[in-house]
Amino acid sequence: MKEQQETTGILNDLIAIHNDRIAGYQTALKELKTEDTDLERLFTGMISESQDIRETLAAEVRAAGSEIETGTTTSGKIYRAWMDVRAAFTGNDRKTVLANCEAGEDAAQNAYKMALKEDGIPSYLRGVLTSQMQSLRASHDEVKALRDAA
């Protein structure tokens, strides 16, 4: 029972990270210039990716009979506030928006690394988390490449 509670706690932490990611990309969409249609498509896709991942994680939490996290992490709220302040000083340029998004992607990668270090996670769930982390890594690399090219 204790391991199940710990596992649902970890899953809820990851759900909160995806809530952060969704909110972060919604913020980033508002900061884009009209010529950034490529980023609009990318960010919209990343929001959809996190919504799908979040639902997969939520299904596991529900199956365990636990409550699903609906909020964001405190650090995520601070990150989004910093993104807003920083953009005000830099004029919402493409490179700044991408750099902020990359920082958010780094946070998601770190959350998954920490989750996968936990001992009590069932092997089938470890496989799900590993797959999700790989998908998020591809998104991170895409944002980083665009940032480097900006």
Side-chain angles (χ1 to χ4, degrees):
M1 184 67 148
K2 184 179 177 199
E3 280 187 6
Q4 185 178 23
Q5 288 175 334
E6 289 174 5
T7 298
T8 57
I10 291 166
L11 295 178
N12 270 323
D13 288 346
L14 293 175
I15 289 169
I17 289 292
H18 285 284
N19 291 341
D20 285 341
R21 192 171 184 255
I22 291 164
Y25 281 113
Q26 288 170 337
T27 299
L29 282 169
K30 293 174 192 169
E31 295 177 4
L32 294 178
K33 294 188 165 102
T34 53
E35 63 268 18
D36 290 325
T37 55
D38 61 328
L39 295 184
E40 183 178 350
R41 282 190 302 276
L42 176 66
F43 295 168
T44 300
M46 290 177 162
I47 289 169
S48 179
E49 176 184 46
S50 269
Q51 289 169 332
D52 291 345
I53 290 172
R54 181 181 63 188
E55 186 50 43
T56 299
L57 297 171
E60 291 294 331
V61 172
R62 271 193 297 277
S66 295
E67 293 288 319
I68 298 164
E69 179 60 55
T70 58
T72 57
T73 64
T74 302
S75 61
K77 291 174 186 171
I78 292 167
Y79 166 75
R80 284 188 301 282
W82 172 245
M83 187 183 225
D84 291 340
V85 170
R86 188 170 175 188
F89 290 107
T90 60
N92 298 344
D93 68 271
R94 183 179 175 97
K95 188 168 188 160
T96 301
V97 170
L98 287 165
N100 286 328
C101 291
E102 184 185 3
E105 292 299 316
D106 287 341
Q109 285 294 305
N110 288 334
Y112 271 83
K113 285 177 189 173
M114 289 172 46
L116 287 167
K117 286 181 182 177
E118 294 294 324
D119 292 330
I121 296 177
S123 60
Y124 80 93
L125 196 50
R126 190 171 297 281
V128 169
L129 297 182
T130 299
S131 176
Q132 290 175 351
M133 185 176 169
Q134 289 169 343
S135 175
L136 293 172
R137 184 66 192 181
S139 295
H140 169 276
D141 292 348
E142 188 170 2
V143 168
K144 184 180 186 313
L146 287 168
R147 191 231 36 219
D148 290 346

